[in-house]
Amino acid sequence: MLRAILRTGSFLLMASMLYTGCTTQATGRFYGKTEAPKNNVLRYISGSEPESLDPPVATGQPEARVMMALYDALVEYHPKTMDPMPAIAESWEIGAGGTEYVFYLRKNATFSNGDPITAHDFVYSFRRAVSPELAALNGYLGFYIKYAEPYNAGEMFVRDRDGRFLLKSDVEEKAASPADVPVADMGYPTEFHKYIDSPDRLTVPRSEKARNELFAGNAKLKAAVEGKELVPIKGEDIGLEAIDNYTFRIKLKQPAPYFIGLLGHQLFRVVHRPTIEKFGKAWTKPENIVTSGAFLLKEHRPYDRVVTVKNPNYWDAEMVRLNGIEFYPLDEATTMMNLYKAGSADAIYNHTVPAAWNDVIRQYKDEYLNHPEVAIEYYTINVKKPPMNNVKVRQAFALAIDREALAKFRKTTTPLVDFTPEGIFPKYEQARTKVYTEELKKKGMTMEQWKARAFDPAKARQLLTEAGFPVQQNGTSFAAPSFPISDVELLYNTAESNKAIAEFIQAQWKQNLGITVPLKNMEWKTFLTYRKKLEYSGVARAGWVGDYMDPFSFLYLFYGEKNDSSTGWFDPKYDRMLDEANRELDEMKRFEKLALAEFMMIQEQPVVPLQTQATNWIKKPYVKGLYPNPGTLHAWKFVYIEPDPNKWDRDVDNIMKVSDPWVDQHIARLMTTQETFNAQKKA
Amino acid sequence: MLSFALRRLLIIIPMALLVVSVTWVLIRLAPGNFYEGEKTLPPAIEENIRKKYGLDKPWYQQYFLMLSNVVRGDFGDSLKYQGETVNDIIKRHLPYSATIGALAYLVALIVGLSAGIIAALRQNSSFDYGSMATAMLGLSVPNFVLGPIFVLVFALGLYWLPPARWGGISNLILPVLTLAAIYMAYLARLTRAGMLEVMRSDYIRTARAKGLSETDVLLKHGIRGGIIPVVSFTGPALAGLLAGTVVVERVFAIPGLGNIFIQAVLNRDEPLILGIVAFLSILIMIFNLIVDISYGYLDPRIRYE
């Protein structure tokens, strides 16, 4: 009894303290202790402990942030827009129907030990990133490079007795080759280029078992390959070439206009070959490591800190203003907020302000950054199981959610009706509006009617009735007694925020359709397997973050029969539409084709789009040049600490519009090389 | 006595192997694996990874390979943190947990024992009631509540102490106190109960009858018998404390073993899970053995054959 009383008492004590902690008005102008660090070192909370300091091995966003300080790339993300900006590549050109990229490297770039960075280093780094020996999880990002995928899979070329390699076109009716597009030669004729630019060679699996499986379904292929010599694909065979020390060429297997936007990813950051070959796995230890970025690794204490200092040998060292960055690998939201408030951290990564704190934190207008993000949240639908195999049922569930109310409830997000995030790709959205208006006209609909999809309960009930599950009205409430409720569930991975959203949606469906969908939660890895194998019935929570700044990064989710959508939805027509779009060289025309594909897919409603995520993080006002860009990936050389309070950031809702002369001047300076190059080419 | 200790020591090895085997089966039964994420990996990449980590071999081969590695004390490389051996990770992170744990237990012992003894000697006094009520509060407030309250008051309210992270002595105070609270409370109550029982026993009466001073009675006879429950509690408690405590390490962002263990499970980092489980089980068995041996010294009536 006494124990129970004490327990209740302690709970009340805690609740009251949390209450006072969370609901007080913003008393000072700033949240907690706000003093610019005198040593000019930024203290940044970067998320979970990096898996590795070897860039292609490290998979996630928390790693990306650390890698961006330590390693440089051909291009760097623009601090505000994340568009590619010249880094080690001064300029580049894209040709051969979007399948060839030539990069012109600056001659003064060096590794941290003083060795020059040349095109050969990029050839080495990229080959290593997609090599089967490294087995990098992110290796697939490099699969656009010609023969990188079969190289990674350990596949073989097929050579006949005369030394001629078999081509894809020898065994296929019509090779799906970009050679259909008339291409202009980019110059630099080399032996290697002659080889890599020739029609696609045939590749077959290395293991006999896999080969036999393949042959079993393809007699023509079997006949063509039998008795021929199999030649393993080597790193030297993939579409990477150092034309000279400072000219680097990439050949892609198909046009991929977004590929340039991927090259800032850590998979493509340049590493130092002699160090890796000398130390093997231990090369990333602070005593061995050689890096290429604006900062050097000084100390790494796992789960506690990654300490970096300014690299005096960095090619753009003159611009770097911070003396160093200390990354704190933490992922406990409350702990990081505490550190921030106590003045022990200057900035935190994205999605970190807990929902319960949001009302307090958002009052700090000079610190709280909530901007649209290249990330969405949605529910997948298992289209393979009834009743969700009926498109009308799927549409009914999608229409019966008040997305405005959801956004208000979540406080940080914005409603999402289509699949690509809102407010991130303005040019694409423009193209999409055009395409949708035309397509809707054919159906006798207007854009306004389309936008009503954000919440249209009457239509939802009508669709559900049409699907054979009549919705009855009893006073103000609804009921759908014939709906097989035991065949659906709402699955989510265990987390407070996911639960809150699930309960909200459950209530919406109850209120608007009269259906109470049972909730079910699972631990992350268990959930992933369950969802991926389509073992769930009904709907499951999902989120997606774009790998690069292009709508294709989202639309690709439904591409191919074994796609990543976890819905079971697949349509070869959709795949063809995307392929065709990517072959289009004109940006706006390409976007229109992509939009057409999106329009087709979303009408099939394999997913229930919910919201575009927002950045939701905080930084101290004296930290400048750190912007809430759509991926929360920061080019650290633009970041500095401003000791003068008069120059601190104010009202950061407008931070993207307000000019910081120093940042802008350096962006302009870095862009010059590429702009001059383009201008000269035009002339 | 010696043969008893030897026998117990020898049992530790098969016991640890059994624990590791059960853990291995549990990991294998759990859905998901270390490399799977939101994105489905292309088959080529998945195959490379499975080959790299020997997951393409039949399960019994994998099991015996794992077992033979464990017998040699080599748990291999972490799957998540590439290029790091499990032994290195344990060696590196144990000192953080051990420091916090040992300090917390020291504080708990000093405060808990004194409070318990005094309370027993002055049974039914206001000190007795006061200290036992406080102990009850200590037992009832879980450390995930106590920790944040300490932070709220001392780090964010008064700005006296840092709210989290490893660093100087000031960083140790809050986590050590948070961790010590519940043990302090346990020890105080155990000591009080033990002392009350012992002080009423016949041999204490005999000691008093012999004319020993009350201090001698207490120090030479009373405490020795009275703290036996405390000693039995200490074994597993200390083993658990030294090896890391998840909640306190997460709240205070201490890079200790408890924190690593939780991450390892969430990441399905099999070698790391097995390494920590084996280490923990051996630690607990050794501490239990020490406790059992120390009984014999504290209470002459307990003897091992």
Side-chain angles (χ1 to χ4, degrees):
Chain A
M1 183 62 200
L2 179 63
R3 219 180 156 105
I5 292 170
L6 284 174
R7 216 169 244 171
T8 321
S10 65
F11 174 76
L12 288 175
L13 175 70
M14 175 194 69
S16 63
M17 291 186 90
L18 281 179
Y19 180 80
T20 49
C22 293
T23 55
T24 41
Q25 295 292 308
T27 41
R29 182 174 180 107
F30 305 121
Y31 186 57
K33 233 183 196 172
T34 307
E35 287 162 23
K38 301 220 163 41
N39 60 359
N40 204 22
V41 171
L42 180 77
R43 296 158 303 169
Y44 183 81
I45 296 178
S46 57
S48 48
E49 167 68 20
E51 287 159 65
S52 166
L53 294 183
D54 187 345
V57 173
T59 41
Q61 300 280 87
E63 285 83 6
R65 294 175 190 120
V66 179
M67 296 303 149
M68 287 176 69
L70 294 176
Y71 301 93
D72 211 356
L74 289 169
V75 295
E76 186 55 279
Y77 298 115
H78 185 290
K80 287 184 180 175
T81 63
M82 279 178 67
D83 287 334
M85 290 178 53
I88 294 179
E90 270 182 333
S91 57
W92 59 86
E93 55 184 323
I94 303 169
T99 64
E100 247 179 73
Y101 286 66
V102 176
F103 294 89
Y104 303 98
L105 312 189
R106 61 185 77 245
K107 299 192 171 64
N108 58 343
T110 61
F111 286 105
S112 55
N113 67 348
D115 287 359
I117 297 175
T118 68
H120 302 283
D121 293 305
F122 279 99
V123 170
Y124 170 75
S125 304
F126 282 34
R127 271 183 198 159
R128 176 174 181 265
V130 295
S131 70
E133 293 77 29
L134 192 72
L137 280 167
N138 274 334
Y140 70 94
L141 290 173
F143 283 2
Y144 300 102
I145 300 165
K146 195 168 178 181
Y147 299 130
E149 186 168 8
Y151 166 55
N152 184 278
E155 293 195 347
M156 333 264 265
F157 290 136
V158 186
R159 186 161 59 190
D160 67 14
R161 287 204 184 89
D162 311 328
R164 179 186 162 272
F165 283 93
L166 253 60
L167 302 180
K168 260 189 183 160
S169 55
D170 293 341
V171 294
E172 282 170 16
E173 295 303 317
K174 185 178 176 297
S177 155
D180 303 348
V181 186
V183 294
D185 199 355
M186 294 187 73
Y188 311 112
T190 60
E191 270 309 302
F192 179 81
H193 188 248
K194 222 163 101 188
Y195 143 72
I196 201 76
D197 203 31
S198 60
D200 292 359
R201 286 179 182 178
L202 176 69
T203 61
V204 292
R206 171 169 298 192
S207 86
E208 210 175 331
K209 195 174 149 228
R211 265 204 309 277
N212 288 337
E213 271 168 28
L214 190 67
F215 292 164
N218 192 337
K220 192 179 170 189
L221 180 68
K222 188 179 178 190
V225 176
E226 239 166 12
K228 307 263 167 33
E229 185 193 357
L230 298 178
V231 187
I233 302 172
K234 298 189 299 289
E236 293 79 42
D237 298 327
I238 70 174
L240 302 168
E241 183 188 10
I243 296 171
D244 59 41
N245 276 347
Y246 297 100
T247 315
F248 173 59
R249 174 156 56 190
I250 305 176
K251 176 78 187 178
L252 303 186
K253 64 174 175 182
Q254 66 186 55
Y258 42 85
F259 187 69
I260 184 82
L262 259 173
L263 293 176
H265 190 281
Q266 66 261 33
L267 188 84
F268 300 108
R269 291 193 175 241
V270 68
V271 292
H272 188 243
R273 180 174 191 165
T275 306
I276 295 172
E277 288 178 348
K278 186 173 171 198
F279 296 106
K281 277 195 287 194
W283 80 271
T284 53
K285 300 257 180 268
E287 61 273 23
N288 304 335
I289 199 166
V290 170
T291 54
S292 53
F295 295 88
L296 302 169
L297 181 66
K298 189 179 157 206
E299 186 195 356
H300 180 203
R301 202 194 281 168
Y303 285 91
D304 188 45
R305 64 188 66 181
V306 178
V307 181
T308 68
V309 291
K310 182 180 168 174
N311 174 8
N313 284 333
Y314 181 59
W315 62 269
D316 207 9
E318 255 178 55
M319 125 165 222
V320 181
R321 283 170 76 169
L322 289 175
N323 287 342
I325 307 169
E326 287 184 12
F327 293 97
Y328 300 153
L330 302 177
D331 50 14
E332 189 70 39
T334 316
T335 307
M336 50 183 107
M337 296 303 291
N338 291 344
L339 283 165
Y340 181 89
K341 191 177 181 199
S344 309
D346 305 314
I348 308 183
Y349 71 104
N350 55 339
H351 302 179
T352 41
V353 177
W357 299 49
N358 204 284
D359 283 334
V360 180
I361 301 296
R362 67 189 316 136
Q363 295 175 43
Y364 294 93
K365 292 264 176 220
D366 302 337
E367 293 167 80
Y368 179 63
L369 294 145
N370 201 50
H371 291 247
E373 200 169 42
V374 61
I376 54 168
E377 185 159 21
Y378 59 99
Y379 283 164
T380 65
I381 303 179
N382 185 348
V383 303
K384 296 283 186 198
K385 289 187 189 170
M388 290 298 183
N389 57 355
N390 186 335
V391 67
K392 285 189 174 167
V393 177
R394 300 201 292 269
Q395 286 172 342
F397 274 78
L399 290 173
I401 298 167
D402 186 348
R403 289 174 175 75
E404 285 293 341
L406 176 65
K408 258 185 215 135
F409 170 62
R410 294 310 295 162
K411 291 176 185 148
T412 61
T413 57
T414 47
L416 181 70
V417 182
D418 295 297
F419 194 68
T420 46
E422 298 281 337
I424 295 290
F425 309 120
K427 279 185 187 165
Y428 176 70
E429 279 174 39
Q430 199 185 320
R432 188 168 66 184
T433 309
K434 186 180 159 207
V435 169
Y436 276 29
T437 313
E438 284 166 13
E439 290 300 308
L440 289 167
K441 214 181 205 171
K442 290 179 197 165
K443 295 170 169 261
M445 278 172 74
T446 63
M447 205 56 195
E448 280 62 47
Q449 284 169 308
W450 178 260
K451 280 182 180 154
R453 287 162 57 92
F455 181 46
D456 193 345
K459 182 86 186 289
R461 288 190 286 271
Q462 182 199 331
L463 282 166
L464 202 61
T465 307
E466 283 172 23
F469 308 108
V471 182
Q472 303 157 358
Q473 185 160 10
N474 314 315
T476 53
S477 66
F478 296 93
S482 61
F483 190 82
I485 193 64
S486 54
D487 294 346
V488 288
E489 65 194 0
L490 198 174
L491 181 72
Y492 61 92
N493 55 303
T494 314
E496 219 32 65
S497 58
N498 295 344
K499 186 178 170 210
I501 295 174
E503 283 169 348
F504 182 91
I505 305 274
Q506 185 191 41
Q508 289 276 317
W509 285 336
K510 166 95 183 67
Q511 188 185 329
N512 300 318
L513 297 175
I515 296 171
T516 308
V517 177
L519 304 185
K520 187 167 166 182
N521 73 88
M522 284 182 174
E523 178 262 352
W524 174 238
K525 292 261 179 181
T526 313
F527 165 82
L528 270 187
T529 312
Y530 195 75
R531 195 184 68 189
K532 228 178 245 180
K533 290 186 175 163
L534 295 180
E535 282 169 17
Y536 71 100
S537 351
V539 295
R541 187 206 160 256
W544 194 256
V545 183
D547 283 321
Y548 41 88
M549 290 299 289
D550 190 280
F552 187 68
S553 185
F554 290 83
L555 299 177
Y556 177 73
L557 214 56
F558 300 89
Y559 182 92
E561 195 167 359
K562 285 184 183 152
N563 62 51
D564 253 344
S565 68
S566 298
T567 60
W569 187 84
F570 154 69
D571 191 335
K573 195 177 154 208
Y574 176 79
D575 295 359
R576 281 198 300 275
M577 289 164 92
L578 290 184
D579 283 340
E580 202 187 308
N582 281 337
R583 273 201 285 272
E584 178 61 63
L585 297 178
D586 180 87
E587 190 185 25
M588 285 316 276
K589 279 189 194 151
R590 174 172 172 265
F591 281 160
E592 284 171 20
K593 288 180 174 173
L594 288 177
L596 208 56
E598 181 171 11
F599 186 66
M600 174 207 163
M601 182 273 287
I602 204 69
Q603 286 178 97
E604 285 289 311
Q605 207 85 63
V607 288
V608 179
L610 295 177
Q611 43 194 358
T612 301
Q613 299 278 26
T615 52
N616 190 29
W617 52 277
I618 44 175
K619 70 166 187 63
K620 299 282 185 190
Y622 51 74
V623 179
K624 307 258 293 175
L626 192 69
Y627 295 98
N629 64 38
T632 317
L633 292 174
H634 308 296
W636 297 107
K637 63 180 179 183
F638 290 95
V639 181
Y640 64 98
I641 287 168
E642 177 56 67
D644 179 1
N646 294 319
K647 293 181 186 165
W648 287 1
D649 277 339
R650 297 271 183 246
D651 194 13
V652 290
D653 279 345
N654 296 317
I655 192 169
M656 298 301 227
K657 291 177 213 141
V658 175
S659 160
D660 181 328
W662 181 80
V663 171
D664 290 348
Q665 170 207 329
H666 280 282
I667 292 175
R669 173 182 62 88
L670 288 161
M671 294 300 279
T672 331
T673 47
Q674 175 67 1
E675 282 161 6
T676 319
F677 179 83
N678 285 342
Q680 278 170 355
K681 230 181 124 197
K682 234 178 194 173
Chain B
M1 185 66 199
L2 193 66
S3 76
F4 166 79
L6 269 177
R7 250 184 297 139
R8 286 280 301 266
L9 270 175
L10 281 176
I11 281 179
I12 287 180
I13 296 163
M15 281 299 280
L17 286 182
L18 184 71
V19 170
V20 165
S21 300
V22 172
T23 313
W24 186 83
V25 172
L26 287 176
I27 299 171
R28 288 301 164 106
L29 288 180
N33 51 46
F34 75 96
Y35 56 79
E36 223 165 325
E38 198 133 14
K39 291 171 185 142
T40 311
L41 290 179
I45 294 209
E46 185 168 355
E47 201 178 309
N48 286 334
I49 290 168
R50 295 186 67 84
K51 208 179 285 169
K52 186 170 170 180
Y53 295 101
L55 297 170
D56 51 342
K57 296 193 181 87
W59 68 266
Y60 53 86
Q61 276 188 25
Q62 292 184 46
Y63 174 71
F64 285 110
L65 188 70
M66 180 276 294
L67 220 52
S68 75
N69 285 341
V70 170
V71 170
R72 284 184 288 113
D74 172 15
F75 291 91
D77 282 7
S78 155
L79 299 178
K80 178 85 175 176
Y81 301 103
Q82 305 228 348
E84 303 237 30
T85 69
V86 169
N87 291 350
D88 283 346
I89 295 178
I90 294 178
K91 245 182 256 164
R92 190 173 58 216
H93 294 284
L94 178 67
Y96 301 110
S97 303
T99 309
I100 300 264
L103 284 175
Y105 206 72
L106 195 68
V107 172
L109 265 183
I110 295 171
V111 179
L113 277 185
S114 339
I117 293 169
I118 298 173
L121 293 182
R122 299 190 189 155
Q123 202 190 348
N124 300 331
S125 68
S126 55
F127 180 86
D128 184 20
Y129 289 131
S131 62
M132 286 308 117
T134 316
M136 189 59 94
L137 192 68
L139 283 176
S140 314
V141 182
N143 50 14
F144 60 83
V145 173
L146 194 62
I149 290 177
F150 278 164
V151 171
L152 211 59
V153 175
F154 297 105
L156 303 179
L158 301 166
Y159 291 107
W160 286 353
L161 294 165
R165 297 190 70 246
W166 190 260
I169 291 170
S170 58
N171 292 68
L172 290 176
I173 297 173
L174 293 184
V176 164
L177 286 183
T178 307
L179 201 51
I182 193 161
Y183 292 95
M184 224 183 268
Y186 258 122
L187 290 178
R189 295 185 61 80
L190 279 175
T191 314
R192 178 177 176 274
M195 288 300 287
L196 280 180
E197 196 186 316
V198 166
M199 293 310 277
R200 285 182 195 139
S201 62
D202 292 344
Y203 70 86
I204 295 290
R205 196 176 309 131
T206 312
R208 286 200 178 115
K210 279 197 303 188
L212 283 181
S213 71
E214 197 56 28
T215 325
D216 276 356
V217 170
L218 186 67
L219 293 181
K220 285 189 182 152
H221 302 283
I223 291 182
R224 260 179 89 172
I227 63 168
I228 282 193
V230 173
V231 173
S232 2
F233 174 72
T234 298
L238 200 53
L241 267 174
L242 295 185
T245 44
V246 180
V247 175
V248 170
E249 286 180 12
R250 280 196 75 77
V251 167
F252 292 99
I254 291 160
L257 219 49
N259 211 341
I260 309 280
F261 190 34
I262 283 295
Q263 293 298 328
V265 174
L266 293 176
N267 291 332
R268 302 282 193 275
D269 193 340
E270 187 181 299
L272 191 51
I273 300 174
L274 292 177
I276 298 179
V277 165
F279 173 76
L280 265 181
S281 57
I282 292 174
L283 198 67
I284 290 174
M285 285 187 271
I286 290 181
F287 273 89
N288 276 338
L289 175 60
I290 296 174
V291 166
D292 287 350
I293 293 173
S294 62
Y295 286 154
Y297 290 99
L298 288 170
D299 188 343
R301 289 171 299 185
I302 303 170
R303 283 288 178 265
Y304 300 101
E305 294 311 322

